[in-house]
Amino acid sequence: MKNLENLPEEIFDWLAEKTFSELTEAQRQKVRAYLSEADYENYRSIVFDFQELDHQVTADSSASSPPTSTTSFLKRVLNYPIPLYQVAAAFLILAMATFAMNDFGEEKNLPKAEEKSGVGKSLAKDDYPEELVFNL
Amino acid sequence: MKIKELTDEQLMESFASQNDEVAFGQLYRKYFPMMSKYLGWQLHDPEKGKDLAQNIFLKIYQKSSLFDTSKNFKVWLFIIAKNQMKNELRNEAIRSKHLENIAILPTNENEEKADHTQRLQQLKTELAQLSENHREVFVLKYSNNLTLQEISEICNCSVGTVKSRLFYALQKLKNKLR
């Protein structure tokens, strides 16, 4: 057998396209210089079967959506690495804020001042001071 | 010029320089299935292949400036995929479990179909048993339809070496599937 590295590239192409009988006479002669007809048919059968297997995978490999600026941005945000100490600090601040809010939120009972001033209250006629009443 | 008339390199340049997401989408739709299959075969798991392909495109989306427009986009993409795949394969759990991930194809009703199904199953198993280098050139050639020149650039070897590996893979599969 001739040196494999000199094998014409087209023979590898023909294995994927044609049986030996489908080759032209010139092509058959070229093949015979390197392979027997039986070997060609065996290799052709393997390539043909592989293409059938490959086609089954193709049916399942339909493209997903291409990356876009949105998916790229979201992925970067979701995958952004946050140091552990920052997470701990955030929790601590949140806890302190929660306690502080609870503290200010409690209702405080302030004592009511006694009402001493009589301003604004109406008096009954009998209670008017006599010196201030003029009968016109 | 219509977007469908642009080359892959022009599309990528349009995305890198003008943030043209339509151009990127065009590249994604063209190469995502190809990437998924290549990675799926190499990782012995179609779902892992899809996940890794999606991650690769996300990285390209975020770092589009890394692409050298003077280079072949397809080859560049496969080289990135190959490097990412190697990172995945460093996980020993994948190497040890690859045989478990090979799905059992459903058996069919009549005997002839059952034989054929069994042969396909056996092919899948034997393909997984090939070395990474041999399986890679086989998949790149017969799943992704790359030229030998493109495969040689991705695998960082000569075209002659690609031919040898491809022929060896065919021979080994032939011997195992008798």
Side-chain angles (χ1 to χ4, degrees):
Chain A
M1 189 181 292
K2 289 187 179 180
N3 187 354
L4 296 176
E5 295 195 0
N6 294 329
L7 202 72
E9 179 168 354
E10 50 265 36
I11 290 181
F12 292 109
D13 295 334
W14 297 335
L15 288 173
E17 296 159 8
K18 304 178 184 185
T19 61
F20 192 83
S21 57
E22 288 169 346
L23 296 171
T24 65
E25 188 51 44
Q27 290 171 338
R28 287 182 210 173
Q29 280 191 15
K30 207 166 192 176
V31 168
R32 284 192 191 105
Y34 296 91
L35 307 168
S36 67
E37 183 178 337
D39 279 346
Y40 180 92
E41 284 297 334
N42 276 324
Y43 298 145
R44 156 76 188 147
S45 172
I46 289 165
V47 173
F48 185 78
D49 287 344
F50 172 73
Q51 287 174 330
E52 187 180 335
L53 272 176
D54 192 54
H55 186 70
Q56 291 173 8
V57 174
T58 308
D60 215 27
S61 285
S62 52
S64 315
S65 304
T68 61
S69 54
T70 309
T71 54
S72 173
F73 172 73
L74 278 175
K75 195 150 187 168
R76 268 183 282 146
V77 166
L78 293 173
N79 291 332
Y80 187 78
I82 303 173
L84 191 61
Y85 76 90
Q86 286 185 6
V87 175
F91 269 116
L92 192 61
I93 292 169
L94 193 64
M96 284 170 62
T98 307
F99 282 127
M101 279 172 62
N102 284 342
D103 224 21
F104 283 116
E106 282 174 11
E107 282 187 14
K108 291 188 178 177
N109 296 320
L110 298 169
K112 285 184 182 178
E114 283 180 27
E115 286 184 8
K116 291 182 181 175
S117 167
V119 173
K121 268 196 173 178
S122 58
L123 288 172
K125 279 186 182 176
D126 293 338
D127 294 333
Y128 287 167
E130 274 186 27
E131 58 270 24
L132 293 177
V133 176
F134 296 97
N135 291 316
L136 297 171
Chain B
M1 204 175 188
K2 290 181 183 176
I3 197 163
K4 288 188 178 178
E5 295 168 5
L6 296 176
T7 63
D8 294 341
E9 291 73 27
Q10 287 170 330
L11 288 169
M12 192 62 195
E13 189 179 0
S14 179
F15 172 66
S17 59
Q18 298 163 41
N19 205 30
D20 184 352
E21 295 205 357
V22 174
F24 184 80
Q26 187 87 351
L27 288 169
Y28 178 88
R29 278 184 290 277
K30 181 176 178 182
Y31 288 106
F32 179 83
M34 218 183 275
M35 281 288 111
S36 301
K37 284 197 296 176
Y38 165 66
L39 293 166
W41 282 116
Q42 291 294 83
L43 294 171
H44 315 292
D45 188 337
E47 286 306 313
K48 276 194 168 71
K50 279 177 80 171
D51 287 344
L52 188 54
Q54 188 71 3
N55 282 337
I56 287 167
F57 274 97
L58 184 61
K59 281 188 180 170
I60 292 171
Y61 182 89
Q62 292 169 343
K63 296 184 180 178
S64 57
S65 56
L66 292 176
F67 176 64
D68 181 354
T69 52
S70 65
K71 291 189 176 170
N72 181 305
F73 176 79
K74 190 198 288 185
V75 170
W76 177 78
L77 186 62
F78 272 94
I79 289 173
I80 290 178
K82 184 179 162 127
N83 291 334
Q84 291 296 313
M85 179 198 67
K86 284 191 170 179
N87 291 338
E88 287 289 315
L89 284 175
R90 276 191 207 114
N91 184 345
E92 285 296 328
I94 292 172
R95 284 201 205 99
S96 62
K97 287 190 176 180
H98 73 268
L99 286 173
E100 296 174 25
N101 285 336
I102 297 168
I104 304 294
L105 297 172
T107 54
N108 292 310
E109 291 175 1
N110 64 53
E111 199 176 307
E112 206 176 293
K113 278 189 178 177
D115 284 345
H116 181 63
T117 303
Q118 194 176 6
R119 180 180 158 84
L120 291 181
Q121 181 59 44
Q122 195 182 1
L123 172 59
K124 210 169 184 178
T125 305
E126 296 304 334
L127 195 60
Q129 299 274 21
L130 287 177
S131 74
E132 187 186 319
N133 286 340
H134 292 110
R135 184 175 54 252
E136 181 176 39
V137 297
F138 186 85
V139 168
L140 287 172
K141 179 64 187 166
Y142 293 118
S143 173
N144 300 115
N145 298 316
L146 268 62
T147 64
L148 297 189
Q149 179 59 40
E150 289 170 336
I151 296 172
S152 75
E153 289 177 42
I154 292 165
C155 297
N156 196 28
C157 63
S158 66
V159 172
T161 302
V162 172
K163 288 180 184 178
S164 295
R165 287 181 186 173
L166 196 47
F167 192 81
Y168 177 87
L170 285 165
Q171 221 172 13
K172 187 141 190 210
L173 290 171
K174 185 195 82 166
N175 292 337
K176 290 285 185 180
L177 293 171
R178 280 186 181 174

